[in-house]
Amino acid sequence: MDVRRRHLSTATAGEPFKKKNTSPPPTAAPLVSTVVPLYVTNGVFFGVFFSVAYFLLHRWREKIRNSTPLHVVTLSEMAAVLSLIASIIYLLGFFGIGLVQPIISPSSSRPSSDDEAEEQDDAKTAAPCPAGIIDCSLSPPPQKPRLPLNIPPQTPLSSDDEEVVQQVVSGEVPSYSLESRLGDCRRAAAIRREAVQRVSGRSLQGLPVEGFDYDSILGQCCEMPIGFVQIPVGVAGPLLLDGVEHTVPMATTEGCLVASTNRGCKAIYVSGGASSVVLRDGMTRAPVVRFGTAVRAAQLKSYLEDAINFDSLAVVFNKSSRFARLQSIKAAIAGKNLYIRFSCSTGDAMGMNMVSKGVQNVLDFLQSDFPDMEVIGISGNYCSDKKAAGVNWIEGRGKSVVCEAIIKEEVVKKVLKTSVEALVELNMLKNLTGSAVAGALGGFNAHASNIVSAVYLATGQDPAQNVESSHCLTMMEAVNHGKDLHISVTMPSIEVGTVGGGTQLASQSACLNLLGVKGASKESPGGNSRQLATIVAGAVLAGELSLMSAIAAGQLVKSHMKYNRSSRDVTKVVS
């Protein structure tokens, strides 16, 4: 120990210290393998091992038969024993290192003295070997342990969080109960995320978990969260609608959509703007009830549709909320089953829960006069929610809106790059005739669903209600002696709200605030939601105008190749 330290100090004071070659001297096996091919060496030692083992077993068997002591050995037997030991050492050293190393305990690899600890520290701090030193090849650089395929790297967790993760993985703690058990929604999401990675063996890298208010969705928007999805939000506009300018937020991953809608907004703006009207405003719910006979079902149908009974039913219905107001009741019979479609105003909320509570009150009330009525379900699909249905196309659901604009001839030519005649003909053959040939239900338009979905995602609406909300009839007609274009969209079932659900989230609330329709209207209950519905229709009008113009001018493919195809080197971006 002291001699080594004096040697180090001497080297430091004088010439630079030259590191001695501390690598172990090469054993016989590597020396032989440098001369003889490796497979030959392995074959020789395998042959020696099996041959001497057979020889010794045969000799010891003879000794047992002849009652000769086993410890009495001849020179040949002694040579065989030494050969067996040598072959075992070689084979274990060549093939057994990878098997032995993983089972060595950490304590056995620790230095047993201060000198060994110093040698390990010197090895850690030593500079890399210069190029050209042969000895460097004997000590390859340490490599990070490789994880099994598809197993994500472990996320650093505290000891408490690690314990909870293991409990979730083992099934001891249900994943859905983390929020109530921990009292911390963000921590619950992070622990659930880690548990999902370990159970599935799939990485969730790229799905962010930090930077989101998980308390805001508890019991309202999403259960068992593990992160949040990022969707870019663009703006189109200004959209001049009913004399007011609106900057329309659109959340989408489709290239060209925002740019196209923005061009339509420009054409509408320079032509004097668009106007809109809300025809109806009523959310629907339709339970299904069953009787013993069709006659009894018909009796309830007559009772519900009798104007004399409507007022008493409205009083019962309206008790569910201070905003819910029953508007109409319609019933349809299928055998002995009765489908009852209730429609009511819901203020600034989209109103599904509100109307459902009112319907339940009425069903409980009817049970006294019709005790043989069996309620099968609070919803019987005659509503109809989140499905393409003719009843919504004809009767409407939510807000029924018509939006129109007159686009001047010079705007059609300069901004939209087409002509009035081409647009009118294309609309007739594509949106009207083509959709009829396809048997479309509510789909007499170019791409209303595109704009509805983008605005819904940005403003916190239920994206599944895009199905019926995108029902749209696009009309185009030449006016003012054939010079200008009259375009309109008729949308009978726009289902939106400005309170409740996803509208309370920070990002969606900000987009509603951008439109000036955040929260409940203080002046007129339901005013903000109706305003939002007209903005949706106005944005659809702009999108229809721009896309139809691109198709008429033959620019659709060109524009999508420009805006919807990335020229970036994705491999460089990822790396």
Side-chain angles (χ1 to χ4, degrees), residues 263 267 407 411-418 423 545-546 549 553:
R263 183 176 75 148
I407 310 301
V411 175
V412 173
K413 292 180 178 180
K414 294 181 180 180
V415 178
L416 302 177
K417 312 299 182 182
T418 184
L423 283 173
L545 179 62
S546 182
S549 299

Side-chain angles (χ1 to χ4, degrees), residues 263-391:
R263 183 176 75 148
C265 290
K266 178 181 179 181
I268 294 172
Y269 190 95
V270 296
S271 296
S275 58
S276 64
V277 57
V278 178
L279 303 177
R280 286 186 298 267
D281 181 8
M283 182 51 61
T284 63
R285 175 61 83 198
V288 54
V289 299
R290 181 170 58 193
F291 289 90
T293 64
V295 173
R296 285 291 289 165
Q299 290 175 357
L300 178 56
K301 181 178 186 300
S302 300
Y303 176 87
L304 293 172
E305 294 179 346
D306 192 338
I308 299 176
N309 301 320
F310 180 81
D311 291 340
S312 58
L313 294 175
V315 171
V316 175
F317 185 98
N318 296 343
K319 289 180 179 179
S320 61
S321 171
R322 60 193 181 99
F323 295 106
R325 294 296 178 265
L326 184 63
Q327 297 174 336
S328 65
I329 302 176
K330 293 187 177 181
I333 285 185
K336 59 181 182 178
N337 304 302
L338 186 66
Y339 297 82
I340 312 168
R341 193 171 193 259
F342 294 83
S343 178
C344 77
S345 60
T346 56
D348 283 302
M350 185 269 290
M352 286 296 301
N353 294 332
M354 195 181 300
V355 66
S356 296
K357 289 189 292 183
V359 168
Q360 189 62 56
N361 290 345
V362 173
L363 293 176
D364 294 340
F365 174 78
L366 292 174
Q367 204 78 55
S368 58
D369 291 335
F370 296 87
D372 55 337
M373 178 183 71
E374 180 185 2
V375 178
I376 303 300
I378 191 67
S379 175
N381 274 6
Y382 185 42
C383 313
S384 173
D385 185 43
K386 301 171 184 175
K387 291 165 284 291
V391 67

